[in-house]
Amino acid sequence: MTANKCPSACVAAPSYKRLCLISLFMTGPIMQFLILHFLTTSQRLLVLIFIVLTSASMSLVAQDKPIVITNVSMIDVEKGVLIEQATILLNGDSIESVIVNGAGSDMAKIPEGATVIDASGKFAIPGLWDMHIHWYDPATMALFPINGITGVRVMFGAPMHHSWRTSFDKGTKLGPRMLIGSLIIDGAEPVWPGSIVASDAAGGKASIDKAIKAKSDFAKVYSLLSREAYFAIAEEAKAQNLPFDGHVPMMVSVREASSAGQRSMEHLYETILACSSREKELRELQTASLGESGTPRDLYENSELRKQISISALESFDQKKADELFEMLARNRSWQCPTLTVLRNLTYLTEPEIQNNPNLKYLPKYVRAQIAPAQQKSPRDEEAQLRAEKTFKKNLALVGEMHRAGVPIIAGTDCLNPFCLPGFSLHTELQLLVKAGLPPIDALGAATINAARFQGTETRMGSISAGKVADLVLLDANPLEEIANTERIHAVVTRGRLIDRAELDRMLEELESD
Protein backbone atom coordinates (compact mmCIF):
# COMPACT_ATOMS: atom_id res chain seq x y z
CA MET A 1 0.00 0.00 0.00
CA THR A 2 1.59 3.22 -1.11
CA ALA A 3 1.57 6.24 1.18
CA ASN A 4 -1.28 8.32 -0.23
CA LYS A 5 -3.57 10.57 1.76
CA CYS A 6 -6.73 8.84 2.88
CA PRO A 7 -9.99 10.24 1.43
CA SER A 8 -11.93 12.54 3.72
CA ALA A 9 -14.78 10.01 3.65
CA CYS A 10 -12.81 8.03 6.23
CA VAL A 11 -13.02 10.74 8.84
CA ALA A 12 -16.66 10.89 9.80
CA ALA A 13 -18.79 7.94 10.87
CA PRO A 14 -22.32 8.11 9.36
CA SER A 15 -25.23 5.97 10.50
CA TYR A 16 -24.61 2.29 10.02
CA LYS A 17 -27.43 1.85 7.45
CA ARG A 18 -26.01 4.56 5.24
CA LEU A 19 -22.54 3.21 5.93
CA CYS A 20 -23.47 -0.23 4.63
CA LEU A 21 -24.43 1.26 1.27
CA ILE A 22 -21.46 3.60 1.11
CA SER A 23 -18.94 0.91 2.03
CA LEU A 24 -20.32 -1.60 -0.46
CA PHE A 25 -21.19 0.50 -3.48
CA MET A 26 -19.35 3.79 -3.34
CA THR A 27 -16.12 3.95 -1.38
CA GLY A 28 -14.64 0.63 -2.46
CA PRO A 29 -13.59 -2.52 -0.64
CA ILE A 30 -10.82 -1.10 1.52
CA MET A 31 -13.26 1.43 2.94
CA GLN A 32 -15.42 -1.44 4.21
CA PHE A 33 -12.51 -2.35 6.44
CA LEU A 34 -11.37 1.14 7.42
CA ILE A 35 -14.80 2.51 8.29
CA LEU A 36 -15.52 -0.43 10.60
CA HIS A 37 -12.92 0.95 12.99
CA PHE A 38 -15.12 3.95 13.73
CA LEU A 39 -18.19 1.95 14.80
CA THR A 40 -19.41 0.39 18.00
CA THR A 41 -19.31 -3.39 18.33
CA SER A 42 -23.03 -3.77 17.56
CA GLN A 43 -22.79 -1.50 14.52
CA ARG A 44 -19.79 -3.44 13.22
CA LEU A 45 -21.74 -6.67 13.50
CA LEU A 46 -24.66 -5.25 11.51
CA VAL A 47 -22.37 -3.96 8.77
CA LEU A 48 -20.48 -7.26 8.57
CA ILE A 49 -23.74 -9.23 8.34
CA PHE A 50 -24.82 -6.93 5.52
CA ILE A 51 -21.52 -7.43 3.71
CA VAL A 52 -21.70 -11.21 4.08
CA LEU A 53 -25.28 -11.32 2.80
CA THR A 54 -24.44 -9.22 -0.25
CA SER A 55 -21.15 -10.92 -1.09
CA ALA A 56 -20.35 -14.41 -2.21
CA SER A 57 -17.26 -16.55 -2.54
CA MET A 58 -17.06 -19.37 -5.03
CA SER A 59 -17.65 -22.81 -3.58
CA LEU A 60 -15.13 -25.53 -4.26
CA VAL A 61 -16.12 -29.12 -4.96
CA ALA A 62 -13.93 -31.58 -3.11
CA GLN A 63 -11.59 -33.81 -5.13
CA ASP A 64 -12.01 -37.28 -3.62
CA LYS A 65 -9.96 -39.23 -6.12
CA PRO A 66 -6.17 -39.26 -6.41
CA ILE A 67 -4.81 -37.30 -9.37
CA VAL A 68 -2.04 -38.62 -11.61
CA ILE A 69 -0.38 -36.20 -14.04
CA THR A 70 1.66 -38.07 -16.64
CA ASN A 71 4.15 -37.09 -19.36
CA VAL A 72 4.59 -33.57 -17.99
CA SER A 73 7.65 -31.34 -18.22
CA MET A 74 8.21 -30.23 -14.63
CA ILE A 75 10.15 -27.14 -13.58
CA ASP A 76 12.27 -27.76 -10.49
CA VAL A 77 12.58 -24.30 -8.94
CA GLU A 78 15.00 -25.53 -6.27
CA LYS A 79 17.58 -27.01 -8.65
CA GLY A 80 16.76 -24.63 -11.47
CA VAL A 81 16.23 -27.33 -14.07
CA LEU A 82 13.52 -28.64 -16.38
CA ILE A 83 12.63 -32.30 -15.83
CA GLU A 84 11.00 -33.89 -18.85
CA GLN A 85 8.56 -36.81 -18.87
CA ALA A 86 7.64 -36.71 -15.19
CA THR A 87 4.70 -38.36 -13.44
CA ILE A 88 3.18 -36.56 -10.44
CA LEU A 89 0.86 -38.42 -8.07
CA LEU A 90 -1.38 -36.24 -5.89
CA ASN A 91 -3.38 -37.71 -3.04
CA GLY A 92 -5.54 -35.31 -1.05
CA ASP A 93 -3.65 -32.13 -0.20
CA SER A 94 -0.21 -33.63 -0.73
CA ILE A 95 2.14 -34.71 -3.46
CA GLU A 96 2.59 -38.43 -2.88
CA SER A 97 5.35 -39.00 -5.40
CA VAL A 98 7.22 -37.49 -8.33
CA ILE A 99 8.79 -39.99 -10.71
CA VAL A 100 10.82 -39.32 -13.83
CA ASN A 101 9.52 -41.59 -16.57
CA GLY A 102 12.09 -43.88 -18.06
CA ALA A 103 14.23 -43.98 -14.92
CA GLY A 104 14.42 -47.76 -14.74
CA SER A 105 11.35 -49.81 -13.87
CA ASP A 106 10.29 -47.61 -10.94
CA MET A 107 7.26 -46.16 -12.67
CA ALA A 108 4.37 -44.53 -10.88
CA LYS A 109 1.60 -46.95 -10.12
CA ILE A 110 -1.75 -45.43 -10.98
CA PRO A 111 -4.20 -45.97 -8.09
CA GLU A 112 -7.51 -47.52 -8.98
CA GLY A 113 -10.14 -44.87 -9.71
CA ALA A 114 -7.57 -42.08 -10.03
CA THR A 115 -8.12 -39.08 -12.29
CA VAL A 116 -5.41 -39.41 -14.93
CA ILE A 117 -4.23 -36.38 -16.89
CA ASP A 118 -2.00 -36.88 -19.92
CA ALA A 119 0.02 -33.66 -19.78
CA SER A 120 2.10 -34.23 -22.90
CA GLY A 121 3.36 -30.87 -24.10
CA LYS A 122 2.44 -29.21 -20.80
CA PHE A 123 4.68 -27.65 -18.16
CA ALA A 124 4.16 -27.94 -14.39
CA ILE A 125 5.21 -25.19 -11.99
CA PRO A 126 4.51 -24.89 -8.25
CA GLY A 127 1.53 -22.80 -7.18
CA LEU A 128 2.48 -19.12 -7.19
CA TRP A 129 2.38 -16.68 -4.25
CA ASP A 130 1.62 -12.95 -4.35
CA MET A 131 3.58 -11.75 -1.33
CA HIS A 132 2.08 -8.26 -1.04
CA ILE A 133 -1.66 -7.79 -1.35
CA HIS A 134 -4.46 -5.66 0.07
CA TRP A 135 -7.89 -7.10 -0.75
CA TYR A 136 -11.24 -6.73 0.99
CA ASP A 137 -13.77 -8.13 -1.47
CA PRO A 138 -14.51 -11.81 -0.67
CA ALA A 139 -16.31 -12.54 -3.94
CA THR A 140 -13.18 -11.92 -6.02
CA MET A 141 -10.62 -13.73 -3.85
CA ALA A 142 -11.15 -16.64 -6.24
CA LEU A 143 -9.26 -14.65 -8.89
CA PHE A 144 -6.02 -15.59 -7.16
CA PRO A 145 -6.27 -19.39 -7.60
CA ILE A 146 -7.99 -18.96 -10.97
CA ASN A 147 -4.74 -17.30 -12.06
CA GLY A 148 -2.51 -19.93 -10.47
CA ILE A 149 -1.79 -17.88 -7.34
CA THR A 150 -2.37 -20.42 -4.59
CA GLY A 151 -1.05 -18.27 -1.73
CA VAL A 152 -0.99 -14.60 -0.68
CA ARG A 153 0.52 -12.40 2.04
CA VAL A 154 -2.02 -9.88 3.38
CA MET A 155 -0.32 -6.62 4.35
CA PHE A 156 -3.15 -4.92 6.28
CA GLY A 157 -4.81 -7.77 8.12
CA ALA A 158 -8.28 -7.68 9.67
CA PRO A 159 -10.57 -10.20 11.38
CA MET A 160 -12.35 -10.84 8.08
CA HIS A 161 -9.13 -12.22 6.60
CA HIS A 162 -8.80 -14.77 9.38
CA SER A 163 -12.40 -15.82 8.76
CA TRP A 164 -11.75 -16.18 5.03
CA ARG A 165 -8.63 -18.22 5.69
CA THR A 166 -10.66 -20.68 7.74
CA SER A 167 -13.15 -21.12 4.88
CA PHE A 168 -10.43 -21.51 2.28
CA ASP A 169 -8.43 -23.96 4.39
CA LYS A 170 -11.52 -26.09 5.03
CA GLY A 171 -12.17 -26.15 1.29
CA THR A 172 -15.69 -24.75 1.56
CA LYS A 173 -14.74 -21.69 -0.53
CA LEU A 174 -12.23 -21.17 -3.30
CA GLY A 175 -9.35 -18.97 -2.23
CA PRO A 176 -5.59 -18.92 -1.66
CA ARG A 177 -3.57 -19.94 1.35
CA MET A 178 -3.03 -16.81 3.44
CA LEU A 179 -0.24 -15.29 5.49
CA ILE A 180 -1.94 -12.47 7.42
CA GLY A 181 -0.26 -9.40 8.84
CA SER A 182 -1.36 -7.10 11.63
CA LEU A 183 -3.15 -3.83 11.20
CA ILE A 184 -0.66 -1.30 9.86
CA ILE A 185 1.51 0.09 12.68
CA ASP A 186 2.23 3.75 12.00
CA GLY A 187 3.24 6.95 13.77
CA ALA A 188 1.32 9.52 15.80
CA GLU A 189 -0.52 10.81 12.73
CA PRO A 190 -0.93 7.67 10.62
CA VAL A 191 -1.47 7.64 6.89
CA TRP A 192 -4.41 5.23 7.12
CA PRO A 193 -7.32 5.36 9.59
CA GLY A 194 -7.63 2.10 11.45
CA SER A 195 -3.87 1.78 11.89
CA ILE A 196 -2.31 0.94 15.23
CA VAL A 197 -0.79 4.20 16.47
CA ALA A 198 2.70 3.93 17.93
CA SER A 199 3.79 7.48 18.71
CA ASP A 200 6.68 6.58 21.01
CA ALA A 201 8.67 3.65 22.38
CA ALA A 202 5.88 2.57 24.72
CA GLY A 203 3.41 2.63 21.84
CA GLY A 204 5.81 0.65 19.70
CA LYS A 205 6.13 -2.05 22.33
CA ALA A 206 2.34 -2.16 22.87
CA SER A 207 1.74 -2.53 19.13
CA ILE A 208 3.41 -5.93 19.14
CA ASP A 209 1.13 -7.08 21.95
CA LYS A 210 -1.85 -5.95 19.86
CA ALA A 211 -0.56 -7.81 16.80
CA ILE A 212 -0.13 -11.01 18.80
CA LYS A 213 -3.55 -10.66 20.41
CA ALA A 214 -5.06 -10.38 16.92
CA LYS A 215 -3.27 -13.66 15.99
CA SER A 216 -1.30 -11.90 13.26
CA ASP A 217 1.38 -13.90 11.48
CA PHE A 218 3.62 -10.82 11.46
CA ALA A 219 3.60 -7.13 12.39
CA LYS A 220 3.33 -4.59 9.55
CA VAL A 221 5.36 -1.40 10.02
CA TYR A 222 4.76 1.79 8.07
CA SER A 223 6.29 5.00 6.80
CA LEU A 224 5.53 7.54 9.54
CA LEU A 225 6.96 5.71 12.55
CA SER A 226 9.42 7.70 14.64
CA ARG A 227 12.82 6.24 15.32
CA GLU A 228 11.92 5.64 18.97
CA ALA A 229 8.75 3.75 18.11
CA TYR A 230 10.39 1.76 15.33
CA PHE A 231 13.31 0.45 17.36
CA ALA A 232 10.98 -0.39 20.25
CA ILE A 233 8.90 -2.43 17.78
CA ALA A 234 12.03 -4.21 16.57
CA GLU A 235 13.14 -5.03 20.10
CA GLU A 236 9.73 -6.25 21.27
CA ALA A 237 9.11 -8.24 18.08
CA LYS A 238 12.37 -10.07 18.62
CA ALA A 239 11.55 -10.69 22.29
CA GLN A 240 8.15 -12.14 21.40
CA ASN A 241 9.39 -14.00 18.32
CA LEU A 242 7.05 -12.19 15.93
CA PRO A 243 8.47 -11.22 12.52
CA PHE A 244 7.97 -7.64 11.38
CA ASP A 245 7.69 -6.65 7.73
CA GLY A 246 6.73 -3.56 5.77
CA HIS A 247 7.93 -0.12 4.82
CA VAL A 248 11.30 1.18 5.88
CA PRO A 249 10.09 4.33 7.70
CA MET A 250 11.28 7.68 6.40
CA MET A 251 13.21 8.39 9.60
CA VAL A 252 15.08 5.05 9.53
CA SER A 253 17.80 4.02 7.07
CA VAL A 254 17.78 0.75 5.14
CA ARG A 255 20.97 -0.29 6.93
CA GLU A 256 19.39 0.36 10.31
CA ALA A 257 16.26 -1.59 9.38
CA SER A 258 18.34 -4.53 8.19
CA SER A 259 20.43 -4.51 11.39
CA ALA A 260 17.25 -4.25 13.49
CA GLY A 261 15.97 -7.49 11.99
CA GLN A 262 13.14 -6.24 9.76
CA ARG A 263 12.28 -9.37 7.80
CA SER A 264 11.06 -7.79 4.57
CA MET A 265 11.29 -4.36 3.00
CA GLU A 266 8.56 -3.30 0.60
CA HIS A 267 8.57 -1.14 -2.55
CA LEU A 268 12.34 -0.40 -2.37
CA TYR A 269 11.52 2.57 -0.14
CA GLU A 270 14.61 4.47 1.06
CA THR A 271 16.90 2.30 -1.10
CA ILE A 272 18.06 4.95 -3.57
CA LEU A 273 18.73 7.31 -0.65
CA ALA A 274 20.74 4.54 1.04
CA CYS A 275 22.92 4.35 -2.08
CA SER A 276 23.61 8.10 -2.17
CA SER A 277 27.00 9.54 -1.36
CA ARG A 278 25.04 12.37 0.30
CA GLU A 279 22.82 10.13 2.44
CA LYS A 280 24.03 11.53 5.78
CA GLU A 281 23.53 15.12 4.65
CA LEU A 282 20.10 14.43 3.17
CA ARG A 283 18.94 12.58 6.26
CA GLU A 284 20.00 15.50 8.41
CA LEU A 285 17.96 17.73 6.13
CA GLN A 286 14.95 15.47 6.73
CA THR A 287 15.36 15.66 10.49
CA ALA A 288 15.73 19.43 10.38
CA SER A 289 12.41 19.67 8.49
CA LEU A 290 10.38 18.29 11.37
CA GLY A 291 8.12 21.02 12.73
CA GLU A 292 7.02 21.78 16.25
CA SER A 293 5.19 18.45 16.49
CA GLY A 294 8.45 16.72 15.69
CA THR A 295 6.67 13.91 13.84
CA PRO A 296 7.43 12.41 10.44
CA ARG A 297 4.08 13.71 9.25
CA ASP A 298 5.74 17.10 8.78
CA LEU A 299 8.20 15.58 6.35
CA TYR A 300 5.51 13.47 4.68
CA GLU A 301 3.45 16.59 3.90
CA ASN A 302 6.47 18.60 2.70
CA SER A 303 6.31 17.46 -0.92
CA GLU A 304 8.84 20.03 -2.14
CA LEU A 305 11.46 18.87 0.33
CA ARG A 306 10.83 15.22 -0.43
CA LYS A 307 11.17 15.99 -4.14
CA GLN A 308 14.45 17.80 -3.49
CA ILE A 309 15.79 14.86 -1.48
CA SER A 310 14.67 12.37 -4.14
CA ILE A 311 16.39 14.31 -6.93
CA SER A 312 19.58 14.77 -4.90
CA ALA A 313 19.72 11.09 -3.93
CA LEU A 314 19.31 9.97 -7.53
CA GLU A 315 21.95 12.40 -8.79
CA SER A 316 24.46 11.34 -6.11
CA PHE A 317 24.05 7.58 -6.58
CA ASP A 318 27.24 5.81 -5.48
CA GLN A 319 27.78 2.35 -6.97
CA LYS A 320 30.37 1.34 -4.37
CA LYS A 321 27.99 2.28 -1.57
CA ALA A 322 25.21 0.34 -3.30
CA ASP A 323 27.42 -2.75 -3.56
CA GLU A 324 28.24 -2.56 0.14
CA LEU A 325 24.55 -2.15 1.01
CA PHE A 326 23.51 -5.16 -1.06
CA GLU A 327 26.23 -7.27 0.51
CA MET A 328 24.80 -6.37 3.92
CA LEU A 329 21.22 -7.13 2.87
CA ALA A 330 22.31 -10.51 1.53
CA ARG A 331 24.27 -11.31 4.68
CA ASN A 332 21.37 -10.35 6.95
CA ARG A 333 18.79 -12.11 4.78
CA SER A 334 16.79 -8.89 4.53
CA TRP A 335 14.09 -9.92 2.05
CA GLN A 336 13.10 -7.46 -0.65
CA CYS A 337 9.57 -7.30 -2.05
CA PRO A 338 10.02 -4.66 -4.77
CA THR A 339 6.38 -4.61 -6.01
CA LEU A 340 7.54 -3.43 -9.42
CA THR A 341 3.98 -3.66 -10.73
CA VAL A 342 2.68 -0.81 -8.59
CA LEU A 343 5.86 1.23 -9.17
CA ARG A 344 5.42 0.84 -12.93
CA ASN A 345 1.68 1.57 -12.84
CA LEU A 346 2.12 4.76 -10.83
CA THR A 347 4.91 5.89 -13.16
CA TYR A 348 3.00 5.32 -16.39
CA LEU A 349 -0.55 5.64 -15.03
CA THR A 350 -2.11 7.42 -18.02
CA GLU A 351 -0.54 5.19 -20.66
CA PRO A 352 -3.03 3.10 -22.71
CA GLU A 353 -1.12 -0.08 -21.80
CA ILE A 354 -2.01 0.55 -18.16
CA GLN A 355 -5.47 2.07 -18.58
CA ASN A 356 -6.85 -0.49 -21.04
CA ASN A 357 -6.51 -3.56 -18.87
CA PRO A 358 -8.97 -6.15 -20.23
CA ASN A 359 -9.14 -7.99 -16.90
CA LEU A 360 -10.91 -5.13 -15.14
CA LYS A 361 -14.17 -6.68 -16.33
CA TYR A 362 -13.82 -9.39 -13.68
CA LEU A 363 -14.08 -6.86 -10.84
CA PRO A 364 -17.30 -5.28 -9.52
CA LYS A 365 -17.95 -1.71 -10.59
CA TYR A 366 -17.36 -0.29 -7.12
CA VAL A 367 -13.95 -1.98 -7.02
CA ARG A 368 -13.05 -0.75 -10.50
CA ALA A 369 -13.87 2.80 -9.42
CA GLN A 370 -11.04 2.60 -6.90
CA ILE A 371 -8.52 0.41 -8.63
CA ALA A 372 -8.75 1.97 -12.10
CA PRO A 373 -8.46 5.77 -11.85
CA ALA A 374 -8.88 7.41 -15.25
CA GLN A 375 -6.11 9.89 -14.54
CA GLN A 376 -3.79 11.12 -11.84
CA LYS A 377 -5.30 13.45 -9.25
CA SER A 378 -2.50 15.95 -9.99
CA PRO A 379 -1.22 15.32 -13.53
CA ARG A 380 2.56 15.54 -13.70
CA ASP A 381 4.29 18.12 -15.80
CA GLU A 382 6.92 16.93 -18.29
CA GLU A 383 9.81 17.40 -15.85
CA ALA A 384 8.06 15.46 -13.09
CA GLN A 385 7.18 12.63 -15.49
CA LEU A 386 10.77 12.32 -16.68
CA ARG A 387 11.94 12.24 -13.07
CA ALA A 388 9.40 9.53 -12.22
CA GLU A 389 10.53 7.43 -15.18
CA LYS A 390 14.18 7.85 -14.26
CA THR A 391 13.45 6.73 -10.69
CA PHE A 392 11.51 3.67 -11.86
CA LYS A 393 14.27 2.64 -14.25
CA LYS A 394 16.85 3.01 -11.48
CA ASN A 395 14.71 0.87 -9.14
CA LEU A 396 14.36 -1.73 -11.87
CA ALA A 397 18.14 -1.85 -12.30
CA LEU A 398 18.67 -2.07 -8.54
CA VAL A 399 16.50 -5.18 -8.31
CA GLY A 400 18.74 -6.91 -10.83
CA GLU A 401 21.83 -5.83 -8.91
CA MET A 402 20.36 -7.04 -5.63
CA HIS A 403 19.60 -10.43 -7.12
CA ARG A 404 23.11 -10.83 -8.49
CA ALA A 405 24.47 -9.86 -5.05
CA GLY A 406 22.45 -12.63 -3.40
CA VAL A 407 19.79 -10.43 -1.77
CA PRO A 408 16.68 -12.63 -1.31
CA ILE A 409 13.68 -11.47 -3.34
CA ILE A 410 9.97 -12.32 -3.14
CA ALA A 411 7.31 -11.40 -5.69
CA GLY A 412 4.43 -9.11 -4.71
CA THR A 413 2.16 -6.68 -6.52
CA ASP A 414 0.61 -4.30 -3.93
CA CYS A 415 -2.76 -5.48 -5.19
CA LEU A 416 -5.58 -2.90 -4.78
CA ASN A 417 -3.39 0.02 -5.77
CA PRO A 418 -3.99 1.46 -9.27
CA PHE A 419 -4.38 -1.32 -11.84
CA CYS A 420 -2.87 -3.92 -9.50
CA LEU A 421 -5.45 -6.65 -9.98
CA PRO A 422 -5.93 -9.79 -7.88
CA GLY A 423 -4.28 -12.77 -9.55
CA PHE A 424 -3.59 -11.23 -12.94
CA SER A 425 -0.94 -8.74 -11.79
CA LEU A 426 1.39 -11.36 -10.29
CA HIS A 427 2.16 -12.45 -13.85
CA THR A 428 3.07 -8.86 -14.67
CA GLU A 429 5.36 -8.81 -11.62
CA LEU A 430 7.20 -11.90 -12.88
CA GLN A 431 7.70 -10.23 -16.26
CA LEU A 432 9.07 -7.10 -14.60
CA LEU A 433 11.45 -9.17 -12.46
CA VAL A 434 12.83 -10.69 -15.66
CA LYS A 435 13.09 -7.23 -17.20
CA ALA A 436 15.05 -6.20 -14.10
CA GLY A 437 17.60 -8.91 -14.84
CA LEU A 438 16.41 -12.07 -13.08
CA PRO A 439 16.55 -15.23 -15.19
CA PRO A 440 13.03 -16.68 -15.66
CA ILE A 441 13.79 -19.59 -13.30
CA ASP A 442 14.72 -17.12 -10.54
CA ALA A 443 11.65 -14.97 -11.19
CA LEU A 444 9.56 -18.12 -10.77
CA GLY A 445 11.53 -18.89 -7.63
CA ALA A 446 10.64 -15.47 -6.18
CA ALA A 447 6.95 -16.47 -6.30
CA THR A 448 7.36 -20.10 -5.23
CA ILE A 449 10.30 -21.53 -3.28
CA ASN A 450 11.40 -18.10 -2.01
CA ALA A 451 7.89 -17.41 -0.74
CA ALA A 452 8.14 -20.68 1.21
CA ARG A 453 11.66 -19.97 2.48
CA PHE A 454 10.51 -16.55 3.62
CA GLN A 455 7.82 -18.18 5.76
CA GLY A 456 10.04 -21.04 6.90
CA THR A 457 7.72 -23.55 5.21
CA GLU A 458 10.01 -24.80 2.43
CA THR A 459 9.79 -28.39 3.73
CA ARG A 460 6.08 -28.51 2.91
CA MET A 461 5.50 -26.07 0.03
CA GLY A 462 7.18 -24.01 -2.67
CA SER A 463 8.20 -26.77 -5.08
CA ILE A 464 6.86 -29.92 -6.68
CA SER A 465 8.27 -32.79 -4.64
CA ALA A 466 7.01 -35.69 -2.55
CA GLY A 467 5.51 -34.73 0.78
CA LYS A 468 4.71 -31.13 -0.14
CA VAL A 469 1.26 -29.60 -0.52
CA ALA A 470 -0.61 -30.27 -3.73
CA ASP A 471 -0.48 -26.77 -5.23
CA LEU A 472 0.65 -26.57 -8.85
CA VAL A 473 -0.14 -25.03 -12.21
CA LEU A 474 -0.12 -26.70 -15.63
CA LEU A 475 0.94 -24.39 -18.46
CA ASP A 476 0.56 -24.73 -22.21
CA ALA A 477 4.05 -23.33 -22.88
CA ASN A 478 7.47 -23.18 -21.25
CA PRO A 479 7.92 -20.17 -18.91
CA LEU A 480 11.70 -20.64 -18.95
CA GLU A 481 11.67 -19.69 -22.63
CA GLU A 482 9.25 -16.79 -22.14
CA ILE A 483 8.14 -15.80 -18.64
CA ALA A 484 4.81 -14.48 -19.98
CA ASN A 485 3.89 -18.13 -20.57
CA THR A 486 2.85 -18.30 -16.89
CA GLU A 487 -0.36 -16.69 -18.14
CA ARG A 488 -1.08 -19.63 -20.45
CA ILE A 489 -2.79 -21.70 -17.78
CA HIS A 490 -4.13 -25.13 -18.77
CA ALA A 491 -5.23 -26.19 -15.27
CA VAL A 492 -4.71 -25.33 -11.60
CA VAL A 493 -4.40 -27.70 -8.68
CA THR A 494 -5.00 -26.03 -5.33
CA ARG A 495 -5.07 -28.01 -2.09
CA GLY A 496 -5.21 -31.16 -4.21
CA ARG A 497 -8.32 -30.04 -6.10
CA LEU A 498 -8.14 -29.95 -9.87
CA ILE A 499 -9.65 -27.01 -11.78
CA ASP A 500 -9.36 -27.52 -15.54
CA ARG A 501 -9.41 -24.80 -18.21
CA ALA A 502 -13.11 -25.16 -18.92
CA GLU A 503 -13.94 -24.70 -15.23
CA LEU A 504 -11.54 -21.76 -14.92
CA ASP A 505 -13.28 -20.09 -17.86
CA ARG A 506 -16.68 -20.76 -16.31
CA MET A 507 -15.55 -19.13 -13.07
CA LEU A 508 -14.25 -16.08 -14.93
CA GLU A 509 -17.50 -15.78 -16.86
CA GLU A 510 -19.41 -15.88 -13.59
CA LEU A 511 -17.31 -12.99 -12.24
CA GLU A 512 -17.54 -10.88 -15.39
CA SER A 513 -19.50 -7.65 -14.99
CA ASP A 514 -20.51 -4.75 -17.23
Side-chain angles (χ1 to χ4, degrees):
M1 184 179 294
T2 50
N4 297 318
K5 291 185 178 179
C6 185
S8 58
C10 298
V11 177
S15 69
Y16 71 84
K17 289 183 180 179
R18 180 184 175 199
L19 186 55
C20 291
L21 298 174
I22 292 174
S23 66
L24 285 169
F25 304 112
M26 294 180 66
T27 59
I30 196 169
M31 291 299 104
Q32 294 178 10
F33 163 60
L34 294 178
I35 293 175
L36 290 181
H37 288 274
F38 295 96
L39 304 181
T40 66
T41 300
S42 59
Q43 288 174 339
R44 289 177 184 174
L45 180 60
L46 288 168
V47 174
L48 287 171
I49 289 172
F50 188 82
I51 290 172
V52 169
L53 291 176
T54 53
S55 302
S57 296
M58 289 185 172
S59 297
L60 189 62
V61 178
Q63 176 77 37
D64 297 326
K65 301 177 181 179
I67 301 172
V68 181
I69 302 171
T70 65
N71 303 313
V72 71
S73 295
M74 187 185 80
I75 296 175
D76 187 329
V77 292
E78 292 186 277
K79 297 180 181 177
V81 297
L82 178 68
I83 300 173
E84 297 182 348
Q85 293 295 300
T87 296
I88 307 169
L89 172 59
L90 310 174
N91 202 340
D93 188 18
S94 75
I95 300 171
E96 189 166 301
S97 64
V98 177
I99 299 174
V100 178
N101 292 342
S105 59
D106 188 19
M107 299 290 288
K109 294 181 179 179
I110 298 178
E112 186 176 350
T115 299
V116 180
I117 301 169
D118 182 358
S120 299
K122 309 302 179 187
F123 297 81
I125 63 172
L128 301 166
W129 278 71
D130 187 333
M131 294 296 283
H132 191 125
I133 78 155
H134 302 273
W135 204 250
Y136 305 90
D137 180 67
T140 46
M141 283 296 287
L143 284 171
F144 289 104
I146 287 172
N147 282 279
I149 289 77
T150 57
V152 298
R153 181 174 61 139
V154 179
M155 300 302 288
F156 196 166
M160 68 178 73
H161 294 118
H162 292 271
S163 176
W164 298 355
R165 177 163 64 181
T166 298
S167 296
F168 299 155
D169 288 348
K170 286 182 177 179
T172 57
K173 299 293 182 182
L174 177 60
R177 301 180 194 270
M178 298 173 73
L179 188 68
I180 304 172
S182 68
L183 298 173
I184 283 174
I185 304 172
D186 207 358
E189 302 171 271
V191 174
W192 296 97
S195 299
I196 297 173
V197 174
S199 56
D200 54 20
K205 182 177 180 180
S207 70
I208 298 300
D209 290 331
K210 292 177 182 177
I212 291 174
K213 185 177 181 180
K215 299 182 180 179
S216 308
D217 296 318
F218 62 94
K220 166 69 182 291
V221 294
Y222 215 66
S223 296
L224 302 189
L225 285 167
S226 67
R227 292 178 60 82
E228 294 76 15
Y230 176 83
F231 290 114
I233 288 169
E235 182 179 355
E236 187 65 17
K238 181 178 180 180
Q240 299 211 41
N241 197 31
L242 182 72
F244 69 105
D245 309 336
H247 294 193
V248 175
M250 292 188 296
M251 304 311 296
V252 177
S253 73
V254 173
R255 288 174 180 80
E256 288 174 322
S258 178
S259 296
Q262 183 166 328
R263 182 173 61 167
S264 75
M265 301 174 183
E266 315 298 310
H267 319 304
L268 305 173
Y269 284 172
E270 306 299 313
T271 300
I272 292 178
L273 178 56
C275 297
S276 166
S277 60
R278 297 178 58 195
E279 180 186 14
K280 184 175 183 295
E281 170 194 343
L282 295 174
R283 287 203 165 278
E284 289 174 349
L285 188 60
Q286 285 188 165
T287 302
S289 73
L290 301 183
E292 291 183 3
S293 67
T295 71
R297 187 83 193 194
D298 298 308
L299 173 61
Y300 173 65
E301 294 182 341
N302 191 338
S303 58
E304 283 302 313
L305 177 60
R306 287 193 292 119
K307 180 178 77 173
Q308 176 188 339
I309 290 172
S310 176
I311 293 172
S312 299
L314 199 57
E315 291 177 345
S316 58
F317 181 84
D318 185 328
Q319 188 62 55
K320 181 180 178 182
K321 194 173 180 187
D323 293 341
E324 292 172 349
L325 173 65
F326 300 158
E327 181 183 355
M328 177 187 186
L329 296 177
R331 183 173 64 253
N332 290 346
R333 301 297 291 169
S334 299
W335 291 84
Q336 300 297 307
C337 189
T339 63
L340 294 170
T341 301
V342 70
L343 299 183
R344 182 204 66 163
N345 291 358
L346 292 175
T347 300
Y348 301 100
L349 185 58
T350 59
E351 292 295 318
E353 179 187 359
I354 305 298
Q355 290 283 327
N356 301 327
N357 190 318
N359 297 315
L360 287 167
K361 64 185 178 182
Y362 300 116
L363 302 178
K365 286 184 178 179
Y366 73 91
V367 178
R368 293 204 302 264
Q370 179 174 329
I371 204 171
Q375 61 183 7
Q376 296 160 298
K377 293 179 180 178
S378 302
R380 298 189 186 108
D381 57 30
E382 184 177 355
E383 179 185 356
Q385 180 61 30
L386 289 174
R387 184 171 66 252
E389 292 178 12
K390 186 175 181 180
T391 299
F392 173 71
K393 290 174 183 177
K394 172 55 74 172
N395 278 325
L396 198 67
L398 291 181
V399 171
E401 291 184 25
M402 286 180 176
H403 173 69
R404 288 187 290 274
V407 178
I409 293 173
I410 47 178
T413 63
D414 211 0
C415 174
L416 191 60
N417 269 277
F419 296 96
C420 296
L421 279 58
F424 299 100
S425 288
L426 194 277
H427 299 283
T428 301
E429 187 71 19
L430 297 181
Q431 293 164 35
L432 289 169
L433 287 173
V434 170
K435 187 175 182 179
L438 275 68
I441 186 65
D442 293 337
L444 280 176
T448 55
I449 191 61
N450 274 10
R453 287 168 178 157
F454 175 85
Q455 301 174 58
T457 58
E458 65 269 31
T459 60
R460 62 183 184 88
M461 61 178 61
S463 63
I464 303 174
S465 57
K468 295 195 175 184
V469 296
D471 293 346
L472 58 89
V473 186
L474 291 181
L475 304 174
D476 286 325
N478 188 354
L480 300 187
E481 294 180 354
E482 173 53 63
I483 192 62
N485 286 336
T486 60
E487 296 179 291
R488 298 181 60 181
I489 296 174
H490 180 77
V492 174
V493 178
T494 175
R495 294 182 173 87
R497 292 166 172 81
L498 172 68
I499 311 174
D500 62 20
R501 185 66 258 175
E503 181 67 5
L504 293 171
D505 289 338
R506 187 197 66 76
M507 289 177 173
L508 286 173
E509 184 178 354
E510 188 176 314
L511 287 170
E512 191 170 346
S513 60
D514 295 331

